[in-house]
């Protein structure tokens, strides 16, 4: 009975709550850093300076999320069709594509950002509550 009295002291209770908060915050931050996995690859098309860029976005969580997928502007890159920006409901792995012309050696940088957009995921889909998370991937482009 005497050992239980220690738990009734305010200082002990506060320390116990702080410890729980620290442990939970550390776990939450670890998961937040790992929401998405990204991969960007570049393959040569038939013409000399033309390339196909594939940006693979994988959701590492057990809930779907709305993600904006884009590439950053680059003066050495011309988009052959459109400099498209995608918004999608990602529950597993999705690929996004751009065909480009590169005028010089450069780096293309892709961005995936979790956003809160309505009517993107199907009704009833449980969404991951995080928004504002951003992650980048890059790939080298070397024209011949």
């Amino acid at each position: 009975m005497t050992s239980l009295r220690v738990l009734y002291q305010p200082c002990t209770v506060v320390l116990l709550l702080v410890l729980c908060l620290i442990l939970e915050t550390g776990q939450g931050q670890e998961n937040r850093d790992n929401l998405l996995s990204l991969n960007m690859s570049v393959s040569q098309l038939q013409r000399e300076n033309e390339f196909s860029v594939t940006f693979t976005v994988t959701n590492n969580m057990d809930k779907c999320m709305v993600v904006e997928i884009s590439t950053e502007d680059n003066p050495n890159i011309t988009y052959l069709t459109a400099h498209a920006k995608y918004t999608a409901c990602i529950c597993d792995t999705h690929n996004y594509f751009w065909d480009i012309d590169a005028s010089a050696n450069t780096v293309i940088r892709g961005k995936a950002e979790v956003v809160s957009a309505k009517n993107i995921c199907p009704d009833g889909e449980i969404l991951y509550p995080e928004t504002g998370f951003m992650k980048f991937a890059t790939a080298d482009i070397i024209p011949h």
Side-chain angles (χ1 to χ4, degrees):
M1 190 67 159
T2 307
S3 62
L4 291 176
R5 285 186 186 167
V6 171
L7 293 177
Y8 290 118
Q9 295 177 0
C11 184
T12 305
V13 172
V14 169
L15 287 175
L16 184 60
L17 288 173
V18 168
L19 177 63
C20 290
L21 181 62
I22 289 171
L23 292 174
E24 182 62 30
T25 303
Q27 179 65 30
Q29 184 64 38
E30 180 180 311
N31 287 342
R32 187 182 192 285
D33 291 342
N34 206 14
L35 289 180
L36 300 171
S37 296
L38 308 178
N39 184 49
M40 184 170 266
S41 61
V42 176
S43 58
Q44 180 87 38
L45 294 176
Q46 290 182 350
R47 295 193 181 185
E48 192 171 308
N49 292 340
E50 293 182 358
F51 300 87
S52 178
V53 177
T54 303
F55 191 29
T56 303
V57 181
T58 301
N59 178 345
N60 296 325
M61 298 292 112
D62 58 353
K63 296 177 184 172
C64 298
M65 58 185 79
V66 178
V67 180
E68 274 187 4
I69 298 93
S70 61
T71 57
E72 293 183 347
D73 288 332
N74 183 321
N76 295 319
I77 294 174
T78 303
Y79 290 83
L80 298 177
T81 50
H83 188 180
K85 181 179 192 179
Y86 302 97
T87 302
C89 181
I90 299 183
C91 302
D92 47 23
T93 299
H94 289 270
N95 291 316
Y96 301 90
F97 306 93
W98 294 268
D99 288 338
I100 62 168
D101 181 273
S103 60
N105 291 355
T106 191
V107 173
I108 188 165
R109 187 172 189 211
K111 176 176 87 168
E113 180 178 4
V114 179
V115 297
S116 60
K118 304 281 186 205
N119 302 322
I120 301 295
C121 289
D123 288 339
E125 192 71 56
I126 298 172
L127 298 179
Y128 191 80
E130 181 69 37
T131 59
F133 175 81
M134 220 179 297
K135 195 166 186 179
F136 299 90
T138 60
D140 294 326
I141 300 173
I142 303 171
H144 297 295

